[in-house]
């Protein structure tokens, strides 16, 4: 690309309080829009600011393959725990309304950093905040469930950019409060967004090349799976993929691909 486009930190109105959830079905892709991939990067990969370049390289690979990309990112390694500790040190209750928004700032910061890394290699990138994304969630403030998405808003961003980087782990409740999706919630964010956008699968980029029968760091000879049913993946105990994300993917018939960045070996969950 001969000219570097500006990174866009988009502003958009927050979702309306009380907005009804959209139907829980897999929408068809929009005619005329390039295929959309949803790719998630967790804290095990984004250990430091320098690792944003690794995410940008994978996103460049996806764009070169002819796809628009929604990149879902976790906070940088250790950031979520630090933010929680800072808030808890003030003596806050677990159900404090402001706590989820403060903690989710780690994901928002990571989203902007990855968008900047995309810009550095010539990709047209936008970064959205939790409220700009328009993911509606219901339930406890620290373990909410995603129920609806402002799809037109996200598709508009995809129409203007090659890559849209969004924060995982958080949504906005119908009453306007930010809510978290539980530990490992960026997996849940990615699965939900992929289902809502009509993707054929969701790619979860991890620091391992798939799912194993045991932790390969502790059991070097552990068997790696090429394919797994959702039930078998759930029996592994959520070591790599959040169980709630697996359950949602099963309910929405959405395969999950677990791999390292770069397009090498992977485990596909949901296609036996």
């Amino acid at each position: 690309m001969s000219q570097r486009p500006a990174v866009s930190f988009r502003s958009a109105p927050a979702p309306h309080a009380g907005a009804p959830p959209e139907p829980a079905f897999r929408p068809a892709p929009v005619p005329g829009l390039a295929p959309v991939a949803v790719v998630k990067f967790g804290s095990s990969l984004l250990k430091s600011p320098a690792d944003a370049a690794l995410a940008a390289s994978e996103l460049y690979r996806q764009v070169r393959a002819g796809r628009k990309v929604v990149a879902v990112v976790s906070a940088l390694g250790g950031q979520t725990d630090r933010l929680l500790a800072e808030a808890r040190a003030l003596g806050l209750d677990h159900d404090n309304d402001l706590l989820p928004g403060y903690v989710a700032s780690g994901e928002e910061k990571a989203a902007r950093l990855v968008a900047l890394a995309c810009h550095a290699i010539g990709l047209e990138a936008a970064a959205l905040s939790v409220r700009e994304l328009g993911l509606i969630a219901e339930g406890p403030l620290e373990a909410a469930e995603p129920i609806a998405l402002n799809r037109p808003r996200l598709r508009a961003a995809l129409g203007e950019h090659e890559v849209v980087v969004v924060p995982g782990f958080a949504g906005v409740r119908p009453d306007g409060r930010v809510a978290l999706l539980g530990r490992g919630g960026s997996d849940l964010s990615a699965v939900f967004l992929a289902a809502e956008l009509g993707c054929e699968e969701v790619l979860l980029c991890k620091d391992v090349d798939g799912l194993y029968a045991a932790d390969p760091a502790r059991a070097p000879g552990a068997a790696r799976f090429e394919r797994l049913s959702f039930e078998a993946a759930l029996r592994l105990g959520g070591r790599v993929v959040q169980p709630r994300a697996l359950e949602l993917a099963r309910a929405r018939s959405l395969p999950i691909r677990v791999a390292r960045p770069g397009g090498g070996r992977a485990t596909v969950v949901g296609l036996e």
Side-chain angles (χ1 to χ4, degrees):
M1 301 179 187
S2 60
Q3 187 174 14
R4 287 185 179 177
V7 177
S8 172
F9 298 136
R10 297 170 58 86
S11 296
H16 296 295
E22 299 186 35
F25 60 88
R26 183 99 69 83
V30 174
L33 185 66
V36 176
V38 173
V39 182
K40 179 259 181 179
F41 302 94
S43 297
S44 63
L45 287 176
L46 299 175
K47 296 177 181 178
S48 73
D51 293 322
L54 174 66
S57 178
E58 171 63 23
L59 296 172
Y60 184 78
R61 186 180 73 86
Q62 296 284 339
V63 171
R64 284 291 300 271
R67 305 179 185 101
K68 296 276 189 168
V69 190
V70 176
V72 180
V73 299
S74 300
L76 298 183
Q79 184 68 22
T80 297
D81 289 337
R82 284 193 292 272
L83 291 169
L84 278 169
E86 289 169 3
R88 298 290 184 227
L90 301 174
L92 289 175
D93 295 330
H94 277 270
D95 59 353
N96 184 278
D97 290 356
L98 298 179
L99 178 63
Y102 181 66
V103 174
S105 67
E107 275 71 20
E108 292 182 330
K109 178 180 177 181
R112 283 159 173 76
L113 185 64
V114 170
L116 286 168
C118 289
H119 171 68
I121 61 173
L123 290 175
E124 298 175 359
L128 305 184
S129 70
V130 171
R131 293 187 181 279
E132 289 167 344
L133 173 58
L135 188 156
I136 308 299
E138 280 189 340
L141 285 173
E142 295 186 28
E145 293 283 347
I147 62 168
L149 174 69
N150 188 326
R151 286 196 292 268
R153 178 184 299 159
L154 185 52
R155 287 205 177 276
L158 286 167
E160 297 170 5
H161 302 87
E162 294 168 315
V163 177
V164 180
V165 191
V166 304
F169 186 46
V172 179
R173 286 165 45 123
D175 61 12
R177 292 182 292 175
V178 174
L180 303 179
L181 306 184
R183 183 65 69 173
S186 292
D187 287 349
L188 184 58
S189 298
V191 168
F192 183 77
L193 291 174
E196 289 293 304
L197 292 171
C199 298
E200 294 184 356
E201 66 175 25
V202 59
L203 172 59
L204 305 184
C205 286
K206 304 282 187 175
D207 60 349
V208 291
D209 57 355
L211 299 181
Y212 286 75
D215 184 351
R218 298 181 179 180
R224 189 184 69 85
F225 301 103
E226 294 286 340
R227 298 183 182 275
L228 274 179
S229 67
F230 290 115
E231 292 74 17
L234 284 164
R235 286 196 295 271
L236 292 177
R239 288 193 304 267
V240 178
V241 182
Q242 189 205 47
R244 290 167 64 204
L246 288 167
E247 290 166 356
L248 178 62
R250 177 172 60 181
R252 302 291 292 267
S253 299
L254 178 72
I256 297 176
R257 182 177 297 270
V258 180
R260 286 194 178 102
R265 298 194 309 176
T267 297
V268 179
V269 179
L271 292 178
E272 297 183 81

